[in-house]
């Protein structure tokens, strides 16, 4: 639109048309450049945010299965507690099953804690990068707009 407006001034016979025409032309180029900055920006920031979200979404789909393993181990330990009370298994057998269920429980808890730590750390770094790149882009836009503004000081 600014380029078309500039072309209109170029056709005019008005004495100051050159200054305003050039300034409007520069504004048109400035907005084209800003559009290109917006077009190229996702490669610098949004793509990494989307990718990490997909990765963690994929990992989270397995959590119900992991929780079912834990549930199964705890149910087996509870079952052996009942069997030991009914004297259908020895105390030693019951203790072995309870011990293994405890190991499964501890291992899953450790993995969940590690997962949460990595999730927090990964998102922190990724969002910081995203915001840094956004700031860089908007600083470039601000610089371009200031430069365009300066073309109107005639």
């Amino acid at each position: 639109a600014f380029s078309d407006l500039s072309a209109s001034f170029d056709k005019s016979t008005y004495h100051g048309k050159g200054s305003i025409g050039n300034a409007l032309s520069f504004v048109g180029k400035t907005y084209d450049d800003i559009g290109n900055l917006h077009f190229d920006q996702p490669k610098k920031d949004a793509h990494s945010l989307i990718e990490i979200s997909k990765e963690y979404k994929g990992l989270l789909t397995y959590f119900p299965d992991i929780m079912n393993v834990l549930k199964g181990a705890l149910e087996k330990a509870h079952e052996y507690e009942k069997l030991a009370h009914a004297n259908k298994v020895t105390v030693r057998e019951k203790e072995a099953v309870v011990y293994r269920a405890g190991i499964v429980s501890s291992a899953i808890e450790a993995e969940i804690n590690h997962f949460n730590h990595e999730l927090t750390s990964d998102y922190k770094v990724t969002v910081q990068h995203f915001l840094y790149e956004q700031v860089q882009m908007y600083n470039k836009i601000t610089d371009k707009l200031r430069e365009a503004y300066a073309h109107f000081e005639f």
Side-chain angles (χ1 to χ4, degrees), residues 60-75:
L60 286 169
T61 60
Y62 291 102
F63 265 66
D65 294 336
I66 293 168
M67 297 313 290
N68 282 335
V69 168
L70 175 60
K71 181 181 174 186
L74 295 175
E75 285 174 352

Side-chain angles (χ1 to χ4, degrees), residues 28-147:
K29 182 187 174 311
T30 298
Y31 277 101
D32 286 343
D33 292 347
I34 290 170
N36 289 333
L37 285 172
H38 279 284
F39 179 78
D40 293 336
Q41 191 61 28
K43 294 178 224 164
K44 296 178 182 175
D45 56 21
H47 287 176
S48 59
L49 187 58
I50 291 167
E51 285 303 312
I52 196 169
S53 295
K54 286 180 182 177
E55 286 177 26
Y56 277 102
K57 180 182 177 188
L59 290 170
L60 286 169
T61 60
Y62 291 102
F63 265 66
D65 294 336
I66 293 168
M67 297 313 290
N68 282 335
V69 168
L70 175 60
K71 181 181 174 186
L74 295 175
E75 285 174 352
K76 184 61 80 174
H78 185 68
E79 176 187 335
Y80 268 69
E81 291 278 348
K82 287 181 180 178
L83 290 172
H85 277 77
N87 292 324
K88 294 187 178 180
V89 295
T90 66
V91 171
R92 186 176 203 153
E93 290 173 317
K94 175 200 74 142
E95 287 174 353
V97 170
V98 169
Y99 177 75
R100 286 192 300 263
I103 290 174
V104 169
S105 176
S106 295
I108 289 174
E109 181 180 0
E111 285 298 322
I112 289 171
N113 286 337
H114 178 71
F115 177 85
N116 286 330
H117 178 268
E118 291 298 308
L119 174 78
T120 301
S121 175
D122 286 349
Y123 266 96
K124 176 187 174 209
V125 169
T126 302
V127 172
Q128 281 179 324
H129 174 74
F130 174 82
L131 292 172
Y132 174 81
E133 290 297 334
Q134 287 283 300
V135 168
Q136 295 304 307
M137 180 187 72
Y138 283 105
N139 282 339
K140 288 176 187 174
I141 290 170
T142 301
D143 292 344
K144 287 184 177 297
L145 291 172
R146 282 190 178 119
E147 187 178 358

